[in-house]
Amino acid sequence: MQRYVCIHGHFYQPPRENPWLEAIEGQPSAYPYHDWNERISAECYAPNANARILDGENRIVSIVNNYASMSFNFGPTLLSWLEEKESDVYRAILAADAESARRFSGHGSALAQAYNHAILPLANARDRKTQVVWGVRDFRRRFGRAPEGMWLPETAVDLASLEALAAEGIAFTILAPHQASHVRKIGEDAWAEVAAEKVDPTRPYRVTLPSGASIAVFFYDGPVSRAIAFDRLLTTGERFAERLAGAFGESADRAQLVHVATDGETYGHHHRHGDMALAYALHTLAEKRLARLTNYGEFLENHPPTHEARIHESTSWSCAHGVERWRSDCGCQSGAHPGWNQAWRAPLREALDALRDTLAEPWEARAAALLREPWAARDAYVDVLLDRSPDSVDRFLVTHALRPTDAAARTEILKLLEMQRHALLMYTSCGWFFDDVGGIEARQVIQYAGRVLQLAGELFGPGLEEPFLAILEKARSNEAEVGDGRRLYEDSVRPAVVSLAKVGAHYGVSSLFSDYAESDRVYCYDVFRLDSRRAASGRARVAVGRARIRSEITGESGEFAFGVLHLGDHNLSGGAIAFPGEESYETAAANVLEPFRKADLTETLRQVDRVFGSGVYTLRLLFRDEQQKVLARILSTVLESADGVYRELYEENAPLMRFLSGHGIAQPRGLRLAAELALNTGLRSALQPPGPDPARLSALVEEARHVGVSLHEDGLGLAIDAALERLAGGLREGPATLPRLEELEAVVDLARQLPFEVDFWKVQNVYYHALQSLLPEWRREPGAEARQWVKRFLALGEKLSVKVTDVQPAELSAES
């Protein structure tokens, strides 16, 4: 077969971590999910690892791992998040690369990516090199092999960027068709200009570089790629497959590769069920022998370039003006705000460039006193990012430090390199891609600059912030409330800066609501409790204590004393100070605790504020996610009391409400509200561990129907999802006994009765795996119980819309 197809997905999200906490805080715009990574993972990354192929009756006939049959790259910072937060998806991605190598002649389908998606043609030579080196080393650590190809962020390219790839052993990259300028057959003299998208995308090209090195380039099929992204080609998988099969040229004298490239998020996030269309298209292409599936590495080995190409330098796939979208008001934007300008882009880049360049000389001088080769050490620092254990840091320092390091030198080296890490992160392309400097993406890159400034101030002294802000001030927002870059920095970034003392204050406040262990973690800080004294009087509580706090990132540590008073509602006061010494600490603790024991809350508050307050009060002291948890605990007492009132009101009047509902008489609003709250609360309660209680759940659903009240889809849907996932764990982890199977089936039955759609996605995944692994075992078991188990298991599959006959081979499973 001379017809080959390769579908490439560029899977990427910008790093969203708080630069001081190394964790993503809640993003309300991603509701009902915690943050956008979590939401997009649920809509795209996980579904593509468990993609459904359906029959004509919309039953699942197989669940496949799309990644194993396509070409893909994941941004390293996204993979880092997936490894920690979505380990099942992460493992499926790694497994897919291994499986694709078995399918495609030893060539894995995963490609590397320049580390944090900076626009390489706009980077200086040092940053360009580090972005590529970090991307390659991150890939090696995760996939256990050297990358053959590398994705250029936004396909932004120039010869210097291709040189950087070739220098690291990268064999090929992928570009848009309009980025080719000239082509010729290898060995011929004359070049032919290729206007617009006239390059032949069905063959690879060799690009010879000024150094004498070369790299292969695949120019993807532009029309088909645009149809996937923008023309609803993913409406059906069959249509998708037919469009790919129809893109081959008439010539049959050589192998042709039809290949497309889009954002990976197209398959599920941008286009709902795009993962299923992709799975069905891949299945159809192979099943009907319309083309042979391949990846770039395999095709390049079997069909090396016979032609060479020249590129249009400083171009990209998403800006008609080259790479201006990331440095000027070129007119490219999302389209969401047609009247807005992007004049802020230029001063934002100017401010970051000035900060980076101003720091380069003092950084190199300071680092040269500690490190053998400072810039080489920066390139190697990715090994520490991948493994921050003390042993890993020790290995790094043994290799790169000029001499054995004590704790102070160790911290200084780590601060210097962290400053460089954030100076790289502040060039993440998404900061310029969208419509305004006040967007979350631009705010994020400015936050990284804030971390650079904090570390630079600690290492080199003050004075760098004002010149930076003087330039940033020119970045004017389209929204009056945002103002400009300076105001954004002063209102949002500066207050977010975290110090060890601020961590100590957070620890002190949250210790009133959390039972910390003697040695515990607060985000990326290790906290060692040295003393803790708490007292309660009615709803009021007080805590005084001492803790040693150490940054996992830089090794910096300090000892702090804290004091906090909580009056029972949202009123709270407290803070932390550097440890004043044993005698002073004992005096301060006594001054706070003694008046509290005498119920003198006014004096207690005065002492807390005098000694520990430092001008920081209330729940705002807590980091955002912990603040939400504490508020939930405070509110839970109030809500529990309110629930009791509503439940009692409803139970007293339930017969009357049934009568009114049965006779079509409008119910009083107060009674209807009481019934709605009582029944929804009761359903959520019946779903909690050690439940669920199927009989009670069915009774409550039936009662809601009789009374005529609505069920809350958001809260109840999440509770049912959690209960189903918990029960399905019995099929995955065992023992998968008949009672547990019946319990799961009962909750599935209940979910099917609800007046809204319940997502069975996770349960279906577990069931499909059990269909291949557990079912054959139970069928071999003798006796009535085994026969009953098989019967109930097959019945459950029908209810989950899984086809339970003609079971597909295990190797098609996403779990395999």
Side-chain angles (χ1 to χ4, degrees), residues 397-682:
L397 293 174
V398 165
T399 303
H400 296 282
L402 278 170
R403 61 189 67 86
T405 57
D406 59 14
R410 186 186 183 98
T411 292
E412 186 175 356
I413 289 171
L414 292 173
K415 281 187 174 183
L416 284 164
L417 292 166
E418 279 298 305
M419 191 181 79
Q420 286 294 326
R421 176 169 79 101
H422 286 88
L424 290 165
L425 290 171
M426 69 187 187
Y427 285 104
T428 300
S429 69
C430 303
W432 290 265
F433 189 85
F434 296 98
D435 294 355
D436 195 71
V437 71
I440 60 174
E441 298 84 6
R443 287 173 183 263
Q444 185 73 28
V445 300
I446 296 172
Q447 276 200 335
Y448 290 131
R451 178 62 171 151
V452 171
L453 284 164
Q454 180 194 30
L455 290 167
E458 294 172 2
L459 291 163
F460 309 126
L464 290 165
E465 189 178 73
E466 182 52 40
F468 171 77
L469 293 179
I471 302 173
L472 194 62
E473 188 173 6
K474 301 174 190 174
R476 298 198 59 80
S477 171
N478 291 279
E479 298 185 280
E481 58 269 29
V482 176
D484 56 45
R486 174 191 283 270
R487 182 169 155 193
L488 188 155
Y489 181 92
E490 292 172 342
D491 290 350
S492 301
V493 177
R494 194 179 284 155
V497 173
V498 173
S499 63
L500 291 179
K502 193 167 183 178
V503 177
H506 170 96
Y507 175 79
V509 171
S510 59
S511 69
L512 278 176
F513 305 94
S514 302
D515 292 323
Y516 285 108
E518 188 172 345
S519 175
D520 220 317
R521 297 272 292 182
V522 173
Y523 292 98
C524 58
Y525 297 88
D526 295 315
V527 182
F528 306 94
R529 186 178 67 221
L530 302 175
D531 185 50
S532 178
R533 308 177 194 185
R534 292 191 289 187
S537 177
R539 295 179 62 196
R541 290 182 292 170
V542 68
V544 177
R546 285 171 51 202
R548 181 181 302 111
I549 297 167
R550 178 187 173 277
S551 167
E552 179 198 28
I553 308 301
T554 66
E556 183 179 22
S557 66
E559 193 172 314
F560 297 88
F562 61 84
V564 58
L565 173 66
H566 179 221
L567 298 177
D569 50 18
H570 64 285
N571 289 311
L572 182 149
S573 182
I577 57 172
F579 181 57
E582 193 67 41
E583 186 175 342
S584 297
Y585 167 71
E586 290 295 338
T587 300
N591 287 343
V592 168
L593 293 170
E594 287 177 11
F596 184 83
R597 292 189 181 106
K598 297 174 182 177
D600 188 348
L601 298 183
T602 301
E603 178 59 20
T604 306
L605 177 62
R606 191 180 76 81
Q607 290 296 332
V608 167
D609 289 350
R610 181 182 68 81
V611 179
F612 301 106
S614 304
V616 186
Y617 309 98
T618 80
L619 288 172
R620 295 190 189 96
L621 191 66
L622 293 170
F623 302 133
R624 189 186 308 165
D625 282 1
E626 188 70 18
Q627 187 181 105
Q628 295 298 318
K629 291 178 185 176
V630 169
L631 282 171
R633 286 194 60 174
I634 292 171
L635 287 169
S636 66
T637 304
V638 178
L639 293 175
E640 187 176 338
S641 175
D643 286 342
V645 172
Y646 283 118
R647 186 168 56 253
E648 184 177 346
L649 179 62
Y650 165 66
E651 289 172 353
E652 287 179 358
N653 295 280
L656 173 61
M657 294 189 69
R658 292 191 201 100
F659 174 82
L660 295 173
S661 178
H663 287 76
I665 302 172
Q667 299 166 334
R669 185 170 180 274
L671 290 181
R672 191 174 69 252
L673 178 61
E676 188 175 319
L677 290 170
L679 291 172
N680 277 279
T681 300

Side-chain angles (χ1 to χ4, degrees), residues 91-348:
R91 287 194 297 271
I93 293 165
L94 302 189
D97 182 66
E99 173 61 25
S100 66
R102 290 189 286 271
R103 294 182 184 181
F104 302 131
S105 311
H107 298 274
S109 288
L111 275 61
Q113 179 201 287
Y115 188 74
N116 63 274
H117 215 264
I119 302 301
L120 295 192
L122 296 180
N124 65 22
R126 283 187 182 126
D127 287 2
R128 187 184 304 115
K129 178 184 178 184
T130 303
Q131 287 282 349
V132 174
V133 168
W134 283 17
V136 168
R137 292 201 188 183
D138 186 277
F139 185 95
R140 277 181 172 273
R141 182 265 191 183
R142 297 182 189 283
F143 293 95
R145 64 177 179 87
E148 294 183 81
M150 175 171 271
W151 180 264
L152 290 169
E154 302 290 341
T155 75
V157 70
D158 60 1
L159 289 175
S161 300
L162 294 180
E163 289 275 22
L165 268 58
E168 294 304 316
I170 299 299
F172 67 86
T173 191
I174 307 164
L175 296 179
H178 67 262
Q179 293 179 275
S181 67
H182 296 79
V183 298
R184 69 181 178 188
K185 191 172 184 178
I186 293 174
E188 294 183 353
D189 294 328
W191 288 92
E193 186 174 358
V194 283
E197 294 187 349
K198 298 304 181 183
V199 68
D200 180 359
T202 66
R203 64 169 86 242
Y205 294 84
R206 184 179 72 192
V207 175
T208 302
L209 303 172
S211 67
S214 66
I215 189 169
V217 171
F218 290 88
F219 297 99
Y220 64 77
D221 188 306
V224 181
S225 297
R226 281 193 295 275
I228 295 168
F230 304 114
D231 296 341
R232 301 187 60 78
L233 186 56
L234 299 181
T235 302
T236 69
E238 191 169 29
R239 180 182 170 210
F240 184 14
E242 289 171 354
R243 180 65 186 273
L244 289 167
F248 289 100
E250 295 181 1
S251 173
D253 62 350
R254 65 175 178 86
Q256 295 183 59
L257 175 68
V258 167
H259 63 109
V260 293
T262 63
D263 285 333
E265 290 75 20
T266 303
Y267 303 108
H269 172 58
H270 299 314
H271 294 275
R272 193 175 183 218
H273 302 313
D275 54 298
M276 294 171 62
L278 173 59
Y280 195 80
L282 292 166
H283 170 77
T284 301
L285 286 165
E287 185 76 10
K288 294 186 177 181
R289 295 183 60 80
L290 301 176
R292 179 181 168 185
L293 297 178
T294 188
N295 62 22
Y296 292 111
E298 182 187 54
F299 190 86
L300 189 61
E301 179 185 38
N302 295 331
H303 308 284
T306 58
H307 290 64
E308 55 186 335
R310 290 174 174 167
I311 62 165
H312 286 297
E313 291 211 72
S314 295
T315 55
S316 66
W317 75 345
S318 53
C319 177
H321 315 92
V323 292
E324 295 307 308
R325 186 168 191 157
W326 298 277
R327 66 178 175 188
S328 71
D329 186 8
C330 68
C332 290
Q333 54 148 311
S334 72
H337 306 93
W340 286 11
N341 72 77
Q342 283 73 52
W344 53 270
R345 286 174 177 159
L348 174 58

